Amino acid sequence: QLQLMESGGGLVQPGESLRLSCAASASTLDHYAIAWFRQAPGKKREGVSCISRSGRNRNYADSVKGRFIISRDNAKDTVYLRINSLQTEDTAVYYCAADWSASTAFCSVVNDRGRYADWGQGIQVTVSA
């Protein structure tokens, strides 16, 4: 099982930016597609972004496209999520998750067939004035 740990969250004001990090426990991160999900109070977990094993394929949910930037540094076993122009609606617990089954150039923001088997514990992002 791959262990994942999110960091970089916290309390920010609207319009500010954050960079979340997802660090893996082993130097095998290049075997996994990685996705970021979030869950706001009263809502189901939502996929917001993903990045393929190689980093070539990136995908974003329409709700965050243009504001969120996903990247990865396999040498550091870390995936990042840069969130710009934060709004109150972005308040949620953010999770990263790993997909061993994905092909090299594919990723999905939907956890179809339970493809994301390994999850971090989540980190809170709160946007408030």
Side-chain angles (χ1 to χ4, degrees):
Q1 182 179 352
L2 184 68
Q3 303 293 324
L4 302 173
M5 178 64 70
E6 302 92 343
S7 62
L11 175 64
V12 297
Q13 295 182 337
E16 294 183 340
S17 298
L18 282 175
R19 188 181 72 165
L20 305 182
S21 297
C22 174
S25 61
S27 60
T28 57
L29 191 63
D30 59 346
H31 289 288
Y32 298 86
I34 302 294
W36 286 93
F37 295 80
R38 67 183 181 184
Q39 188 166 23
K43 296 184 178 180
K44 295 182 178 179
R45 185 172 291 174
E46 171 194 22
V48 296
S49 186
C50 69
I51 187 166
S52 64
R53 293 168 58 184
S54 67
R56 185 172 64 89
N57 190 324
R58 306 176 186 184
N59 205 266
Y60 300 91
D62 289 341
S63 59
V64 306
K65 193 174 300 181
R67 294 192 299 116
F68 286 29
I69 303 171
I70 192 169
S71 62
R72 68 189 299 160
D73 187 343
N74 288 338
K76 297 181 179 179
D77 299 314
T78 303
V79 172
Y80 305 97
L81 184 69
R82 178 74 177 182
I83 310 176
N84 296 315
S85 301
L86 280 155
Q87 305 298 318
T88 57
E89 293 80 9
D90 296 317
T91 296
V93 176
Y94 284 73
Y95 302 85
C96 64
D99 175 14
W100 177 270
S101 67
S103 60
T104 302
F106 173 82
C107 78
S108 176
V109 296
V110 178
N111 190 23
D112 54 312
R113 301 181 181 274
R115 63 172 61 250
Y116 291 103
D118 301 311
W119 294 74
Q121 65 180 355
I123 190 165
Q124 180 72 44
V125 173
T126 301
V127 186
S128 176

